[in-house]
């Protein structure tokens, strides 16, 4: 067994690998950038090495620095995690050439599956079903257009390199083909340095089915069943589950056997995932539409997947332990006939982003963090997990007080639920997401709750286009529940503005019963107050003062204090309640102060002090996370204060401009 391991990654996956390595008695070495000097993974490892500046290209993508760190610390092996250099065949070869153990597939296997056109050709030769389409050297627009016409519209143009949805275009009709092809090739060249494309039949009702495979150096290859990852937003996975809903045994056998053939075709070792696309448009007798003859190979991910915990839950196997044992030269821990499915598991990716504001990344320190019911991480064997149902677990890469950086993927944690049935697992996960709270960093928990409780998902019929089609409805649950207004008013009135700073980030004790129940609204020598003016998520609202508050205020809601107010989390969505005046100052955007939603650079200023503006008018543009974000006027008024100029770098929550309301 490997004795010492360097993890060439960060965040949740680095913490995940450290946990299993510690269980096996393996010494761990973390690497970190400037931005991650105090990160959780660097704190948890036995040793941590600084490898460069915050941008990934100067640290986590510097293979030479990572190998040097491994050499300097006496590490025997390198685990790449996922992302960054995990599927870089040249880096894998450099690790091996340096005399270190690479915890992953052989470089040749990575290369064989690296380009979609070559991989599809190889899979077809191995008897793995591939999506009908065109893969060819002739990349002339005329030939591609002819092939598209033969396939039939709509057709999908797809770059052979890269991933993440880039370099992909759906073309509905012949007249649009030339423009779509040019756009696709331009994006592919920019993103991957390769503008070669292939064509595929467009699947009208697609589901994303993938199979976990594992191989060793002794010629053994097994599958650990399938996962369904159909719930995606802009080609990025949001919810993953195992097994796939509606999968019958005959179809499971066909798709899992095809995945094993695919892995054997490239002499695969270690963990990998074979991804398939399923056409479920033919739902006979109200079924799921999953059929063996309508599932085709899409691509292979030559690494451990983000969603691997759901496979671990239903099989009772620790896949990171499998990785380390296989890399050490051992045979696979289980034969195919020793693996079985136990119950249903589902995972949600909790991101630091604000769905109500176009899913903008939310950057900064996490002053308050509550991650649902489940805490910690444990792998249960199938026979022992029966007594544990249902259970929730959290796979986190941060703790309270840590920060979310602008330089990396903003995932906070993965929330996982495992139960006897799919229905119970979904409900357990929804309850966990219901109570998630982060502040001032926002999160997507409310969006996840809405998604988990949609009927199309509950009945197993959601396709890969479902989120994009239903996004407006999924965001409707962000609307404030009016029943929270009197509760918040009572709480703010009872504790008084002066006490708010003392309870920053703390959960409120129940105020039910006792003297406060009867004296809410009382003022000496005056009539009791019955309503007050609040700022709710920055907007002024009148609220009647309620008679009491409880820790569980409305349904599954919860409440905690922040400096200057309280936050109530309802159905996963946080709502900030403040007194309309706090310490003699206006509390927030409700009085026209426009703060920076994240650190960034002001690229354009379109108003000047004294200008008259209308609600929704663009005031300035902020560039952050490689995207431009327009900040607009919250109401009609006049520019009373302008604190920035083009080119200026600003920090999160810095007041950029203030609008004085008209009248």
């Amino acid at each position: 067994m490997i004795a010492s391991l360097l993890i060439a990654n960060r965040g949740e996956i680095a913490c995940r690998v450290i946990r299993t390595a510690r269980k096996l008695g393996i010494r761990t070495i973390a690497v970190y950038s400037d931005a991650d000097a105090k990160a959780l993974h660097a704190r948890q490892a036995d040793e941590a090495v600084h490898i460069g500046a915050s941008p990934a290209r100067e640290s986590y993508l510097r293979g030479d620095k990572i190998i040097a760190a491994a050499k300097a610390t006496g590490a025997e092996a390198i685990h790449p995690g996922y992302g960054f250099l995990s599927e870089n065949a040249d880096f894998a070869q450099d690790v091996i050439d340096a005399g270190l153990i690479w915890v992953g597939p052989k470089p040749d296997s990575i290369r064989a599956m690296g380009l979609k056109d070559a991989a599809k050709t190889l899979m077809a030769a191995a008897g793995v079903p591939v999506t009908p389409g065109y893969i060819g050297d002739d990349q002339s627009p005329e030939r591609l257009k002819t092939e598209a016409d033969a396939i039939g519209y709509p057709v999908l143009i797809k770059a052979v390199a890269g991933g993440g949805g880039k370099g992909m275009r759906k073309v509905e009709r012949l007249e649009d083909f030339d423009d779509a092809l040019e756009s696709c090739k331009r994006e592919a060249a920019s993103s991957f340095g390769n503008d070669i494309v292939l064509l595929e039949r467009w699947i009208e009702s697609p589901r994303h089915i993938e199979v976990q495979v594992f191989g060793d150096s002794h010629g053994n290859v097994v599958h650990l069943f399938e996962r369904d990852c159909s719930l995606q937003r802009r080609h990025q996975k949001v919810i993953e589950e195992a097994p796939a809903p509606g999968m019958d045994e005959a179809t499971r056998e066909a798709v899992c056997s095809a995945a094993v053939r695919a892995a054997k075709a490239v002499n695969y070792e270690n963990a990998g995932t074979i991804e398939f696309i399923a056409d479920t448009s033919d739902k006979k007798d109200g079924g799921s539409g999953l059929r063996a003859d309508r599932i085709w190979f899409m691509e292979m991910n030559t690494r451990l997947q983000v969603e691997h915990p759901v496979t671990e839950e239903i099989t009772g196997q620790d896949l990171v332990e499998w990785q380390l044992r296989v890399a050490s030269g051992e045979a696979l821990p289980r034969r195919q006939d020793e693996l079985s499915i136990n119950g249903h598991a589902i995972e949600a990716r909790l991101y630091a982003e604000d769905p109500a504001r176009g899913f903008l990344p939310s950057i900064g320190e996490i002053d308050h963090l509550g991650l649902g019911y489940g805490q910690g991480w444990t792998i249960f064997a199938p026979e022992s997990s029966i007594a544990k149902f249902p259970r929730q677990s959290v796979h986190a890469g941060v703790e309270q007080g840590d920060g979310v950086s602008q330089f990396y993927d903003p995932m906070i944690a993965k929330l996982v639920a495992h139960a006897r049935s799919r229905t119970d697992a979904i409900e357990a996960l929804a309850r966990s997401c219901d109570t998630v709270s982060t502040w001032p960093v926002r999160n997507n928990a409310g969006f996840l709750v809405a998604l988990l409780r949609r009927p199309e998902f509950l009945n197993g019929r959601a396709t890969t286009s479902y989120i994009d089609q239903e996004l407006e409805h999924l965001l409707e649950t962000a609307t404030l529940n009016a029943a929270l207004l009197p509760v918040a008013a009572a709480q703010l009135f009872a504790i008084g503005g002066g006490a708010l700073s003392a309870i920053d980030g703390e959960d409120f004790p129940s105020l039910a019963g006792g003297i406060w129940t009867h004296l809410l609204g009382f003022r000496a020598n005056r009539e009791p107050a019955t309503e007050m003016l609040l700022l709710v998520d920055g907007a002024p609202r009148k609220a009647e003062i309620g008679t009491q508050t409880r820790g569980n205020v409305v349904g599954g809601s919860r409440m905690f204090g922040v400096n200057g107010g309280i936050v109530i989390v309802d159905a996963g969505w946080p709502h900030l309640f403040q007194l309309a005046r706090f310490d003699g100052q206006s509390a927030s955007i409700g009085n026209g102060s426009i703060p920076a939603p994240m650190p960034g650079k002001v690229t354009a200023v379109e108003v000047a002090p004294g200008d008259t503006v209308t609600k929704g008018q663009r005031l300035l543009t902020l560039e952050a996370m490689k995207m431009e974000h327009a900040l607009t006027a919250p109401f009609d008024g006049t520019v009373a204060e302008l604190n920035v100029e083009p080119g200026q770098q600003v920090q999160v929550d810095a007041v950029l401009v203030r609008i004085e309301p008209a009248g």
Side-chain angles (χ1 to χ4, degrees), residues 11 24 107 117 173 215-216 223 230 269 278 309 381 452 512 533 539 583 639 655:
L24 297 174
D117 55 347
R173 53 190 192 141
D216 62 24
H223 68 79
S230 298
E269 295 179 15
L452 289 166
L533 183 63
D583 289 343
V639 179
V655 176

Side-chain angles (χ1 to χ4, degrees), residues 425-454:
I426 292 172
E427 181 55 28
L429 181 59
R431 289 199 307 269
S432 285
C433 293
D434 244 338
T435 58
V436 163
S437 55
T438 61
W439 198 265
V441 167
R442 304 303 199 269
N443 64 69
N444 64 330
F447 170 71
L448 296 172
V449 172
L451 190 53
L452 289 166
R453 289 182 169 152
R454 292 287 289 183

Side-chain angles (χ1 to χ4, degrees), residues 148-159:
D149 194 51
I151 295 168
Y153 289 91
V155 70
L156 179 67
I157 306 175
K158 183 189 294 186

Side-chain angles (χ1 to χ4, degrees), residues 115 159-162 185-196:
L115 294 177
V160 301
K185 292 175 76 69
R186 184 170 57 247
E187 184 176 73
S190 174
S191 300
F192 318 123
N194 184 340
D195 71 349
I196 296 176

Side-chain angles (χ1 to χ4, degrees), residues 521-584:
F522 172 79
R523 294 178 291 181
N525 302 318
R526 297 187 63 182
E527 291 294 319
T530 59
E531 66 176 27
M532 62 194 300
L533 183 63
L534 303 180
L535 289 176
V536 183
D537 296 329
R541 293 283 295 270
K542 282 186 178 181
E544 292 187 0
I545 301 176
T547 58
Q548 62 182 18
T549 59
R550 299 180 177 88
N552 190 17
V553 291
V554 177
S557 306
R558 62 188 302 264
M559 183 191 308
F560 59 92
V562 297
N563 190 11
I566 60 175
V567 172
I568 300 179
V569 180
D570 183 54
W573 298 100
H575 299 282
L576 174 63
F577 297 83
Q578 300 166 290
L579 297 175
R581 306 286 292 183
F582 178 66
D583 289 343

Side-chain angles (χ1 to χ4, degrees), residues 97 189 202:
D97 291 344
W202 176 261

Side-chain angles (χ1 to χ4, degrees), residues 21 33 69 131 191-192 229 257 269 282 301 356 397-398 418 424 487 499 645:
S33 67
T131 312
S191 300
F192 318 123
C229 306
S257 296
E269 295 179 15
D282 186 10
N301 288 302
V398 296
H418 185 202
D424 288 346
V487 173
E645 58 186 24

Side-chain angles (χ1 to χ4, degrees), residues 198-258:
L198 56 83
L199 304 178
E200 289 181 349
R201 176 197 296 173
W202 176 261
I203 309 300
E204 289 292 350
S205 187
R207 278 176 57 186
H208 183 125
I209 306 294
E210 61 186 33
V211 178
Q212 178 72 59
V213 294
F214 236 103
D216 62 24
S217 58
H218 304 277
N220 303 307
V221 178
V222 300
H223 68 79
L224 289 94
F225 309 103
E226 82 283 353
R227 300 184 287 253
D228 189 308
C229 306
S230 298
L231 284 182
Q232 303 177 10
R233 178 178 169 271
R234 296 180 179 174
H235 304 287
Q236 298 295 318
K237 298 170 186 175
V238 177
I239 300 283
E240 300 106 347
E241 58 182 312
M247 179 71 76
D248 62 75
E249 287 302 323
T251 305
R252 173 173 293 123
E253 173 60 27
V255 71
C256 290
S257 296

